[in-house]
Amino acid sequence: MDMKLEVVVIPVADVDRSKGFYEGLGWRLDADFTADDGLRVVQLTPPGSTCSVIFGDGVSSAAPGSAEGLHLVVSDIEAARAELARSGADVSEVFHDAGGVFHHAGTKARVSGPDPERRSYASFVSFSDPDGNGWTVQEVTERLPGR
């Protein structure tokens, strides 16, 4: 049976501010519904993604800004960084990890610039939304077998 990741819920403090931020990044607004009991659900989808994010009022009990490790995948990390910066995101410089396998949490073992060999899965940028939910953008130019 296939199981596909459809939605990730992210906790935010100000729904309209977050909606504006993600729309400013070029994410598609899929839904903005409010129920009679005050529940508000906003769903946006990054360009090219089949997985969306949802946030709103009454959607999550997690502390706003507590999501970390959210990953986006792009084919050109430098172009993605430039686009995010143009869209208003406070995006990091391009980096790779000193260990060369995956990135460490936070900024530990970050080395400036893309992976020297430009290996797939090895170059990154990071940014946060207005609440501090942490995103990592990873360059994938060739998928591992079976992926």
Side-chain angles (χ1 to χ4, degrees):
M1 171 191 310
D2 285 348
M3 291 188 188
K4 298 175 183 174
L5 184 61
E6 184 76 16
V7 171
V8 174
V9 176
I10 55 175
V12 303
D14 184 320
V15 178
D16 289 319
R17 178 183 68 184
S18 296
K19 179 181 173 186
F21 174 79
Y22 288 106
E23 285 182 312
L25 296 182
W27 295 24
R28 182 186 71 231
L29 177 64
D30 299 319
D32 186 347
F33 299 112
T34 303
D36 290 340
D37 65 356
L39 175 73
R40 181 175 177 197
V41 179
V42 176
Q43 179 175 323
L44 293 112
T45 303
S49 181
T50 58
C51 185
S52 303
V53 297
I54 285 180
F55 52 84
D57 292 322
V59 172
S60 175
S61 59
S66 62
E68 59 181 51
L70 302 163
H71 273 68
L72 300 167
V73 172
V74 298
S75 60
D76 183 331
I77 198 68
E78 290 167 334
R81 186 199 180 284
E83 185 174 324
L84 285 164
R86 274 192 309 274
S87 298
D90 183 13
V91 62
S92 74
E93 66 179 327
V94 176
F95 66 91
H96 63 283
D97 191 81
V101 178
F102 192 67
H103 64 87
H104 286 75
T107 58
K108 180 180 178 186
R110 280 189 182 183
V111 179
S112 182
D115 177 69
E117 299 172 36
R118 288 311 284 261
R119 293 172 296 166
S120 193
Y121 298 96
S123 298
F124 309 90
V125 296
S126 62
F127 69 95
S128 296
D129 71 9
D131 286 294
N133 292 305
W135 291 89
T136 299
V137 182
Q138 181 178 34
E139 183 177 71
V140 176
T141 56
E142 184 179 332
R143 293 250 175 218
L144 293 172
R147 307 276 324 237

